[in-house]
Amino acid sequence: MTMTFGKLRVDAQIFEELKKNPSWWIKFKDNPSLYIDIRKDNQVNVYFEGGSIARIHYCNKHKKLQVFTHHKYLGLPAPSKSKLYIECSDRIGYIYDEVMKRIQTQYSQKSMGEGMNTKEKWSEKFIQGMLAVKSRNIHLDTEFAYKDIQEDIRMDLIQCEDGHITFIELKRIDDNRMLHETNKNPEVIYQMRCYKNFIEKYSSELLEYYKKVFDVKVQLGLPVPKTVPTSINPIPELIIFDRWIKSTSKRDIHRQRIYDLLKRNDIQYKVITNI
């Protein structure tokens, strides 16, 4: 099998155009609540709290950058039932504040009324997005995806510390993929084994790919880790978000069963309780 990440080109036209810093691009980059990731097909995604709010690509036909966002964020009806995203590069710079206000009103999980929404209600996507925003010094990518006849891989976070890239899977403590009622291995065990095999098999290709991702982000003036990627951690890491506020005997037993299961299967994991 040939890895397809060779499609990513540091000199792709989209990146040359973005380096000219159109006004809407500067607004995306300067917003501290957003983060921006590079995609293997020479596209760029802008994220808010784990959700993609804008997709940017270069249109060869029209020789211009195009920005697509959901019609509801633009305050417009959907063009059709099958077409929910609208190209808005000609107006996004003028209506940026209105768009962000709609996104924060309709999408944000941060607040409920006047107070902070309880973390027990936070979605996995929200947790992922907040981790990316709050770890910009090591954040290199999110939503790593690769699919072909043999592989179907999707990992949540990619971090780079001291040049060392680590692939991270994120799960909430109460995710039903984390534990069975019986001692049968849950889905997360097979996920982590699959990821480990994939990383080991394609470590050199993955390293070259992420060197290019790093270079593109530097060219575009996006936040990057302090050190250029130089190696791949062959072991993926599982981050468990323990969102339970109150402890009960049932929850304590649940936690311990998960930890014991992961240790028995040599799964590298870390537990966090807040962001």
Side-chain angles (χ1 to χ4, degrees), residues 30-210:
D30 289 348
N31 189 327
S33 68
L34 303 179
Y35 59 99
I36 300 171
D37 283 332
I38 310 303
R39 294 295 165 239
K40 62 181 179 291
D41 51 1
N42 297 305
Q43 295 194 64
V44 175
N45 275 40
V46 182
Y47 292 90
F48 173 74
E49 295 185 7
S52 177
I53 62 165
R55 185 181 75 254
I56 305 166
H57 80 112
Y58 181 77
C59 178
N60 288 313
K61 179 180 179 180
H62 298 290
K63 305 297 181 186
K64 60 174 286 192
L65 292 169
Q66 292 188 323
V67 183
F68 290 85
T69 192
H70 199 281
H71 71 93
K72 66 181 179 181
Y73 299 149
L74 298 171
L76 297 172
S80 68
K81 289 183 179 180
S82 61
K83 186 179 179 182
L84 302 179
Y85 290 82
I86 297 175
E87 202 286 306
C88 58
S89 56
D90 60 340
R91 68 189 111 162
I92 188 68
Y94 303 104
I95 62 172
Y96 173 83
D97 291 338
E98 297 172 33
V99 170
M100 284 308 305
K101 186 174 181 179
R102 289 191 191 96
I103 290 169
Q104 290 165 345
T105 300
Q106 298 177 30
Y107 187 81
S108 181
Q109 296 179 54
K110 281 185 179 179
S111 61
M112 178 180 288
E114 296 181 356
M116 182 69 77
N117 193 350
T118 172
K119 67 179 184 180
E120 291 199 355
K121 295 182 180 180
W122 290 354
S123 71
E124 186 179 297
K125 283 294 181 186
F126 172 77
I127 298 164
Q128 178 194 45
M130 294 308 295
L131 285 173
V133 166
K134 294 197 173 185
S135 61
R136 293 186 191 273
N137 60 325
I138 58 174
H139 167 245
L140 184 58
D141 194 19
T142 56
E143 295 292 337
F144 173 90
Y146 183 82
K147 186 174 183 178
D148 67 7
I149 296 174
Q150 296 176 306
E151 313 277 3
D152 189 358
I153 302 293
R154 183 177 293 273
M155 287 178 275
D156 296 314
L157 295 159
I158 293 83
Q159 295 180 344
C160 183
E161 292 188 80
D162 299 323
H164 204 47
I165 289 176
T166 299
F167 292 85
I168 294 170
E169 178 67 14
L170 174 66
K171 288 283 190 291
R172 294 172 298 181
I173 189 78
D174 54 337
D175 191 314
N176 60 16
R177 294 168 294 179
M178 290 285 285
L179 195 65
H180 277 298
E181 291 183 6
T182 68
N183 288 327
K184 180 182 175 183
N185 279 344
E187 182 180 332
V188 69
I189 299 298
Y190 300 104
Q191 261 187 312
M192 299 304 288
R193 288 175 181 170
C194 180
Y195 296 161
K196 180 176 181 292
N197 291 338
F198 180 84
I199 294 166
E200 288 180 340
K201 189 174 181 179
Y202 297 109
S203 60
S204 59
E205 291 92 341
L206 291 169
L207 179 58
E208 291 307 308
Y209 172 71
Y210 275 113

Side-chain angles (χ1 to χ4, degrees), residues 179 183 185 189 252-267 269:
L179 195 65
N183 288 327
N185 279 344
I189 299 298
D252 290 342
I253 291 170
H254 184 98
R255 288 187 181 101
Q256 194 57 53
R257 284 188 63 209
I258 287 176
Y259 303 156
D260 291 344
L261 177 72
L262 295 173
K263 288 175 183 177
R264 284 199 306 271
N265 286 276
D266 295 321
I267 303 299
Y269 72 95

